[in-house]
Amino acid sequence: MEEFSKNYEPASVEEKWNRHWKEKKYFKSVPDSRRPFTVVIPPPNVTGVLHMGHTLNETVQDILVRRARMKGFNACWVPGSDHASIATEAKVVGMLKERGIDKNSLSRPEFLKYAYEWKEKYGGIIYSQVEKLGCSVDWDRVTFTMDDDYYKAVMKVFVDLHGKGLIYRGARMINWDPSAQTALSDEEVEYKDLQGKLYYIRYSITDEAGKEILNPLTGEKGIVIATQRPETIMGDTAVCVNPNDERYSHLKNAKAIVPLINRSIPIIFDEYVDPAFGTGALKVTPAHDINDYNLGLKHNLEVVDTLNADGTLSEAAQIYVGEDRFAARKKIIAGLTEKGFIVKEEEYATRLGYSQRTGVVVEPRISTQWFLKMKPLAEPALKAVLDGEITIHPGDKFLATYKYWLENVKDWCISRQLWWGQQIPAWYDDKGNVVVAENEEAAKKLYAAQYGENNSNAVLTQDEDVLDTWFSSWLWPMEVFKGISSPGNSDIAYYYPTSVLVTGQDIIFFWVARMIMAGLEYNKEKPIEKAIPFKDVYFTGMVRDKQGRKMSKQLGNSPDLLKLIDAYGADAVRFGIMISSPAGNDLLFDNASLDQGKFFNNKLWNALKLVKMWEKKIDASLPVGDQFATQWFESRLNEVKAEVEKLFSEFRLSEALKTIYSLIWDDFCSWYLEWVKPGFDQPISADVYNKTVAYFTELLQLLHPYMPFITEEIYHSLEERKEDMCVKQLTPVADSNSVYLGEGELLKQAITALRDARVKNRIKPKDEISLHIETGNPDKYNNIRSILGKQVNAPVMHIADTAEKGNISLVIGKDKFYVHSALPADHAAQKEQLEKDLAYQKGFFTSIAKKLSNERFVQNAKSEVVELERKKLADAEAKIKAIEESLARLD
RNA sequence: GGGAGCAUAGCUCAGCUGGUUCAGAGCAUCUGCCUUACAAGCAGAGGGUCCGCGGUUCGAACCCGUGUGCUCCCA
């Protein structure tokens, strides 16, 4: 027989089962006659390693997938990663810089070679982490958003949507990332509150002839405007005031002179300006502010773009050309101050947009980009959720957010000035004519057809830009099954729609909403329940550190997953993160919960050791004997199985784990195993042993989705098995017997109370007592008396309607318990306990009595409730009587 | 500025449809145990004005209003 180590050692066990599962191809899925349960991994991007947020995510998915597999579903979990266009390109550029290579010195194909090198390295790290965590993914289905077919699918969708008029190209004010030098979508901008400064700058005013005008009301020179961005004054093309503002009514047809560069710009009048804000005069810089841009359109203003793509000042600025925008700001302030243009400075609370990926301040910029019209796609996506076709968990906490975004969605800027990604399938001739087609050949044909045979030899150049990564990942639930590149294939027909999407709430717009849009757009011919990409969305919370801070690279408070697995084992990590993870709420990650997982491993391990010790003690000739323990545990097990079933249906995974944990630790280890434990040198009946192994097996099955490795290991250690736990089917829930459950509760209560009395009276566990129970219903102890005697070391026990008084008395339920012990009893402690109980019961009695004496309660409350209260009153009365009698005995 | 959510034991949180499953769990704390599965353990115990105020109701941690404090999303 194999020897068991003192404590559970996860490392070798986890390695062994990972290899075994993989060899057996248990997690490979092909369509068959079973119902599918499909989950697509939200693609972690290839820029780094898995953080704790991913760990939570992957664990939740694995739990759902493993349980589905154990319930007879054909479970298919597709792993993959996305190319994270902007973030990866930034990393690759950084890597090149370290090697002394400038991106601009490379051709596009050369750069992409380096990018793929990066992707191979970091994508590989992520996959090995997913595997170490025990994720039961189908490794034959690994998908990357830049795979050939995937790439083609993205092209196809672009061309299709362009053909439908949903994709268009145009010059708009967009969010510009000067570091990555690309456009961003609205969602990629994060706003932060900060303390800025408002500068009041005086512009002089002239009439049409160029003669200076003074304010007739105040005699002041010029006009004062307030701005946060003095470095943009060179891009000013007007000063705007409210037409109803009397302070400025003398400025009709006047001109303002931009300081430092002395450009003359018109004064315009528009009610857009709030006279109460600042000085009531607004400088208008259409190239660098969205509101100014709109104002400029309305008033036909010139647009002067004073910034280059990299955030330095352009030739158009005339001064400080080539200086960074923030450096230029300082110099301009100095220049303005020196020349007396600055009237005052003021502290000002403001909000700035930062690039989510590079962290730099985003610059509003007018730029020609490709856009996707969102309104027509948003409407059905909103409807699907509002109609309940897709359910968001937990509760509908995020429903309002989802609804608001979709109702107010703006067109999506999908082009990025990058190389790493799907290159936009648009081709231009030298005159700027454009054709959109899936590839160059098709583009040429289309061009010839559109622009005539004469031009068929024209040189076509493909758009330099690539598409936003989310423009590929929104196809994920379909294209991992080649649903776009090869529609109607047997995989997509079987696996789509997927069952549940598990993801962080932070990408509800980036990904979840857009996946729903794409799913509905490309499955229009199907009924809605077949068109949606998933039926349920489960949002996990954010993982924070112990102090409640977000985990981030800057703070360095995110632990390294592989180190955690080395220290605790993957099962303990999974346990730790799930036990502290209420659905949808943020969780404070603390190694203490991993310790709890590790301790739990040991508890299971030691239970195994105990049961294996019994194996040697089986005596087949032994009669079945006392069956209460097994009867009770079987009922308890079924009760919990039903509970877990319900919790899973509500996606309350943390609750379910707590329930299973307590069933194993408390009910199975602390109660059941102790109850059936044979005495020293005593045999165990085959019946009890076999049932114990069967119960243990079921417990392991319940726990397996959470802690796959140790459960598989113990399952095989318990006895010879033909199949593996990860594919063993769960047994259906059976009825539980409420009589056994009630008797079990009474037994536990009596054991606890008697143990407490022993501790308080300093009776050692080895000291025997005899027990006299006075009860009106002696029969209720029939099933439990032998276990009770064993657990409280009371070889002698009398149960009758009158009892011989002992030296310790206590009241359990309505019954009086008298303990006879050779040792002197602590009367004071007993008295104190009894008096405390009495006070509680009396208070309880009074409150119930008061309730029942209230006529309106008796009239209005449901009859069951009133009946229950009457029973409570009677019980309390009986208890009070028993306690009082015991107290009287003590005096 | 608009919207959403949260406040229960020292900490992290459960608490469903208002009524013994109503004040609960885990961790932490305290006491006693080297009891042959487990000291990473066992057996016990203590600990709460359910954020403040008002209302609805026979009855409120739970429903409504309001104040305070915190978090998140959007502009």
Side-chain angles (χ1 to χ4, degrees), chain A residues 474-484 492 496 518-519 522-523:
Chain A
W474 74 327
L475 308 175
W476 192 251
M478 291 178 277
E479 189 51 24
V480 294
F481 301 112
K482 313 246 184 271
I484 298 284
I492 190 85
Y496 191 93
Y522 287 99
N523 292 284

Side-chain angles (χ1 to χ4, degrees), chain A residues 70-279:
Chain A
M70 294 172 90
K71 288 187 72 174
F73 287 89
N74 181 348
C76 180
W77 186 12
V78 183
S81 52
D82 74 35
H83 61 282
S85 191
I86 183 167
T88 307
E89 181 146 333
K91 295 264 185 185
V92 174
V93 169
M95 174 186 85
L96 290 171
K97 206 181 248 172
E98 272 175 32
R99 297 188 196 177
I101 305 168
D102 178 9
K103 180 192 160 190
N104 296 322
S105 72
L106 299 176
S107 68
R108 189 176 190 122
E110 282 168 345
F111 177 82
L112 290 177
K113 231 181 80 191
Y114 285 111
Y116 269 105
E117 186 187 303
W118 172 280
K119 177 253 163 186
E120 284 309 318
K121 183 174 169 197
Y122 287 95
I125 290 174
I126 282 165
Y127 292 142
S128 84
Q129 287 179 320
V130 168
E131 186 175 326
K132 279 219 154 171
L133 196 57
C135 295
S136 58
V137 298
D138 183 348
W139 288 112
D140 294 338
R141 293 184 182 272
V142 176
T143 305
F144 180 56
T145 46
M146 292 265 280
D147 289 342
D148 284 348
D149 282 343
Y150 209 113
Y151 200 114
K152 283 180 196 145
V154 173
M155 297 296 100
K156 189 171 164 185
V157 164
F158 185 97
V159 173
D160 176 64
L161 293 174
H162 180 262
K164 288 170 177 165
L166 291 172
I167 285 179
Y168 63 93
R169 185 167 181 260
R172 298 281 185 287
M173 181 71 86
I174 49 94
N175 306 292
W176 183 259
D177 180 330
S179 168
Q181 297 194 34
T182 177
L184 301 174
S185 68
D186 295 341
E187 288 68 37
E188 285 167 301
V189 181
E190 283 174 350
Y191 291 88
K192 286 184 204 160
D193 285 309
L194 46 97
Q195 197 63 32
K197 274 197 175 141
L198 209 51
Y199 299 91
Y200 288 76
I201 305 170
R202 190 185 306 276
Y203 288 30
S204 53
I205 301 284
T206 64
D207 63 16
E208 281 166 294
K211 189 168 159 279
E212 186 154 19
I213 305 176
L214 300 182
N215 187 321
L217 292 175
T218 61
E220 268 183 48
K221 282 172 84 172
I223 186 167
V224 177
I225 56 92
T227 181
Q228 295 177 66
R229 303 198 61 190
E231 77 278 14
T232 62
I233 61 170
M234 295 82 78
D236 290 356
T237 53
V239 167
C240 184
V241 296
N242 193 298
N244 304 318
D245 193 335
E246 289 181 2
R247 293 174 295 178
Y248 303 121
S249 53
H250 64 291
L251 295 180
K252 295 235 159 59
N253 300 321
K255 301 273 185 192
I257 308 296
V258 179
L260 303 181
I261 57 168
N262 295 323
R263 189 167 66 228
S264 177
I265 56 175
I267 308 276
I268 59 168
F269 294 84
D270 196 296
E271 292 187 351
Y272 166 77
V273 177
D274 175 4
F277 182 82
T279 60

Side-chain angles (χ1 to χ4, degrees), chain A residues 59-70:
Chain A
T59 303
V60 167
Q61 290 172 75
D62 195 43
I63 290 164
L64 296 173
V65 167
R66 282 185 184 269
R67 190 168 160 92
R69 192 178 289 119
M70 294 172 90

Side-chain angles (χ1 to χ4, degrees), chain A residues 764-825:
Chain A
K764 295 224 164 69
K766 279 181 184 147
D767 300 329
E768 291 185 350
I769 57 171
S770 55
L771 189 58
H772 297 252
I773 304 173
E774 188 172 303
T775 172
N777 180 13
D779 285 350
K780 75 181 171 200
Y781 291 95
N782 286 348
N783 281 335
I784 62 177
R785 66 177 293 163
S786 90
I787 293 172
L788 177 61
K790 183 175 133 188
Q791 293 301 297
V792 300
N793 198 9
V796 179
M797 198 186 300
H798 299 283
I799 304 171
D801 49 7
T802 56
E804 192 185 320
K805 319 308 183 233
N807 48 348
I808 301 170
S809 34
L810 55 153
V811 177
I812 296 166
K814 286 179 279 187
D815 302 337
K816 280 171 277 188
F817 280 54
Y818 295 102
V819 175
H820 295 237
S821 157
L823 294 147

